[in-house]
Amino acid sequence: MKLKACIYIFVSFICISGLFSQTQNADSLYSRPLIEVLNNIEHQFGIKIKYDQKMIDGKVLTYADWRIKPWSVTETLKAVLAPFDYIYTMDNGKYKIKSFEYARTTTEEGKQFLDYLNLLYPNKTDWEQRKAQLKACLPSALGVSPMPTKPSTQIILTKIRKYNGYTVQNFALETLPGIYVCGSIYKSSLKMKQYPIILNPNGHFGQGRYRADQQNRCAMQARMGAIAVSWDLFAWGESLLQFDGTLHRLSAANAIQTLNTLRILDYMLSLKEADQTKVGITGGSGGGSMTMMVSAIDDRITLSIPTVMTSSYFVGGCPCESGLPAHLCGNRTNNAELSAMFAPKPQLILSDGKDWTANVPELELPYIKRIYGFYGAEENIENTHFPEEGHDYGISKRLAMYRFIAKHFNLDLKCISDSDGNIDESKVTIEKESEMYAFGEKGENLPKNAIKGKESLLKVLKEYQIIKE
């Protein structure tokens, strides 16, 4: 009887254990519909969450309740969204769900990133080692190390147009076989032995380099005694004669635009009237990205003014800015560290309150100024912040830029000021877009060797190892 009882208990235990095991296996993933989880999060934390319904429908979250962090809505959302490669951003006080962006994180993560970087180099010696590591990696990551052989063709220059205090001449420069970059060179009418060179890389603003504020910027730099140059983004402007605008979104655009900038710098410094000791660069948005990158990798730059782009948590939303792994150098870097690499040379960071530069005065500037402090050069790093302004290179930002250039390149602001001493852009002639073309109004002067289309482009880039197989 006792034996039968034992067998009965044992069998019952096995049955119950098997049933429990089956139940546990079925429920062990703690799965719940994502929409249900998000609704619960809204109720629990008293928040509103915005999302595209198509991103949520049919999605099931495993270990759902285990991902809830009752002490933190931000940690909860990170844990809940990560399995789907989603992130959240703030949008008018609401949490907005978006697809993962490698180029953009959050202000909080930007602060954590800078705190981490500060621990890497407590002194100048450690910083110089870090800087050397980045400088060795960045050009290679961008596809410009080693630099490809220059085409043997001469630069194409159009007729010179004369205006009040300056001249303009369009150019086309072959940067790789069959690949051209077009732009305009603004020269001062002042009689000087040598002139500072100022590069003006373009950003993703409407009308590209043909827009009024870009023309104003370059013309005023020339009127105050510099030689300024502006050019098209890849697959923008006259580059569209060769490449469809969709190719601007190729990761290879990151390499092409960097190469174009370096080639243009080579040409500008080949001018006998160029002052090799005074070489500035300034651009906004995507042009700001190029400003920081080229300032970091090319020692010929002596003054830098990155505009509305210096951030610890955003490295550019276009592949032409972040399509190649440059920001993965040194086990991750960011634009604030790239800006710091310019120390101890003069740098003005222009920021505003309505984009990813909103926190520069409190977040990125102290970090960068600390690096300048390693050289005893804190006076060489400045920030002019416009809390009520947005993402542009508007008049207030240009005024700050003019003053900074005049201060460090010893140029006379009176050349661009009215009788009351106010900087005045009214004497600049804003040209029609067609006047700024290097290849003619209808592209009729496009060189015969100019390649066209994606297939031909990739062939050249692979041949010159700008991009790898």
Side-chain angles (χ1 to χ4, degrees):
M1 184 67 183
K2 290 183 179 180
L3 179 60
K4 289 183 179 180
C6 289
I7 293 174
Y8 174 78
I9 294 171
F10 179 70
V11 171
S12 298
F13 175 77
I14 293 176
C15 293
I16 293 171
S17 296
L19 179 61
F20 177 76
S21 177
Q22 291 173 6
T23 303
Q24 185 182 42
N25 287 337
D27 296 340
S28 62
L29 294 181
Y30 296 94
S31 300
R32 294 174 61 197
L34 179 57
I35 182 65
E36 181 181 307
V37 176
L38 294 177
N39 288 338
N40 287 355
I41 291 173
E42 286 185 315
H43 178 74
Q44 181 172 345
F45 291 98
I47 64 171
K48 291 293 183 181
I49 303 175
K50 295 176 60 178
Y51 47 80
D52 183 340
Q53 194 66 43
K54 295 179 181 179
M55 297 176 65
I56 308 301
D57 286 345
K59 294 290 191 303
V60 176
L61 180 65
T62 58
Y63 306 106
D65 292 322
W66 293 102
R67 297 177 189 273
I68 305 299
K69 319 291 182 182
W71 57 89
S72 173
V73 62
T74 58
E75 291 300 318
T76 294
L77 286 173
K78 287 178 183 179
V80 166
L81 300 176
F84 307 101
D85 276 343
Y86 292 165
I87 60 169
Y88 74 88
T89 58
M90 292 302 296
D91 183 11
N92 293 321
K94 297 181 181 179
Y95 292 83
K96 183 177 182 180
I97 296 176
K98 301 175 64 176
S99 295
F100 178 78
E101 296 177 279
Y102 68 87
R104 186 198 313 258
T105 57
T106 64
T107 306
E108 293 78 12
E109 289 194 29
K111 183 180 185 307
Q112 293 172 357
F113 202 160
L114 294 183
D115 289 343
Y116 158 76
L117 291 176
N118 277 325
L119 291 175
L120 291 183
Y121 28 80
N123 52 56
K124 181 180 177 181
T125 299
D126 291 339
W127 162 248
E128 289 285 357
Q129 292 176 356
R130 168 70 172 179
K131 181 178 176 180
Q133 179 189 27
L134 292 173
K135 208 158 189 177
C137 175
L138 289 168
S140 178
L142 290 166
V144 294
S145 180
M147 280 285 282
T149 304
K150 292 182 182 179
S152 58
T153 52
Q154 296 296 311
I155 190 170
I156 297 170
L157 296 169
T158 66
K159 291 182 180 180
I160 295 174
R161 304 180 296 283
K162 295 183 179 181
Y163 297 112
N164 188 334
Y166 69 101
T167 65
V168 185
Q169 185 176 36
N170 306 331
F171 72 88
L173 183 65
E174 189 177 17
T175 57
L176 282 171
I179 300 176
Y180 289 84
V181 58
C182 298
S184 298
I185 299 171
Y186 298 70
K187 289 188 176 182
S188 177
S189 298
L190 297 174
K191 300 301 180 183
M192 300 165 58
K193 289 184 178 180
Q194 290 188 312
Y195 300 83
I197 300 297
I198 303 177
L199 307 180
N200 290 270
N202 191 35
H204 298 95
F205 298 115
Q207 291 187 284
R209 70 178 182 88
Y210 312 109
R211 67 189 191 280
D213 72 89
Q214 183 92 347
Q215 292 190 52
N216 270 318
R217 188 166 98 218
C218 296
M220 290 288 278
Q221 290 168 1
R223 293 186 72 241
M224 64 195 296
I227 300 177
V229 59
S230 173
W231 60 95
D232 291 322
L233 291 168
F234 171 71
W236 277 45
E238 288 187 272
S239 183
L240 290 171
L241 294 171
Q242 297 186 257
F243 308 110
D244 183 88
T246 60
L247 299 187
H248 181 74
R249 300 291 299 180
L250 290 176
S251 293
N254 200 181
I256 297 169
Q257 292 187 174
T258 304
L259 179 63
N260 287 349
T261 303
L262 297 176
R263 294 286 203 229
I264 289 169
L265 177 57
D266 289 342
Y267 172 75
M268 299 303 293
L269 291 181
S270 74
L271 300 176
K272 63 180 185 301
E273 68 267 34
D275 187 339
Q276 309 283 330
T277 68
K278 296 178 180 177
V279 183
I281 184 169
T282 181
S285 191
S289 293
M290 185 59 65
T291 294
M292 288 179 285
M293 188 62 72
V294 171
S295 296
I297 66 177
D298 198 313
D299 290 334
R300 293 175 294 179
I301 304 294
T302 65
L303 177 147
S304 181
I305 309 177
T307 301
V308 296
M309 207 61 215
T310 304
S311 173
S312 55
Y313 57 92
F314 184 58
V315 296
C318 178
C320 76
E321 299 170 80
S322 57
L324 294 175
H327 290 89
L328 295 180
C329 284
N331 196 28
R332 290 284 302 276
T333 184
N334 59 34
N335 282 346
E337 190 173 38
L338 294 183
S339 290
M341 289 177 66
F342 198 63
K345 292 180 283 188
Q347 179 174 195
L348 169 64
I349 298 171
L350 297 175
S351 56
D352 67 83
K354 297 182 180 180
D355 64 17
W356 40 83
T357 63
N359 301 293
V360 165
E362 301 82 24
L363 185 56
E364 288 84 5
L365 182 64
Y367 159 79
I368 297 170
K369 184 168 286 189
R370 174 175 174 266
I371 304 303
Y372 272 76
F374 290 155
Y375 303 89
E378 293 96 330
E379 73 283 356
N380 278 347
I381 178 66
E382 297 182 25
N383 168 228
T384 302
H385 188 65
F386 302 92
E388 301 304 318
E389 294 189 13
H391 191 71
D392 61 25
Y393 209 138
I395 180 62
S396 55
K397 300 180 180 76
R398 296 198 299 276
L399 293 178
M401 175 267 292
Y402 300 144
R403 295 188 182 98
F404 191 79
I405 290 175
K407 172 183 174 182
H408 289 280
F409 282 173
N410 298 316
L411 300 177
D412 192 351
L413 284 176
K414 292 179 181 178
C415 296
I416 57 172
S417 299
D418 60 22
S419 57
D420 295 324
N422 299 312
I423 295 176
D424 179 15
E425 293 183 335
S426 66
K427 294 182 180 181
V428 172
T429 297
I430 303 301
E431 297 186 312
K432 296 178 180 179
E433 183 173 323
S434 58
E435 294 179 272
M436 303 175 70
Y437 292 160
F439 292 142
E441 190 168 345
K442 297 182 179 180
E444 62 271 15
N445 298 321
L446 183 70
K448 292 182 179 180
N449 76 325
I451 64 172
K452 294 184 178 182
K454 183 176 181 180
E455 185 176 339
S456 297
L457 172 68
L458 295 180
K459 182 179 179 180
V460 171
L461 295 180
K462 290 176 182 177
E463 179 180 352
Y464 285 82
Q465 298 187 356
I466 301 298
I467 60 175
K468 307 298 188 288
E469 291 284 358

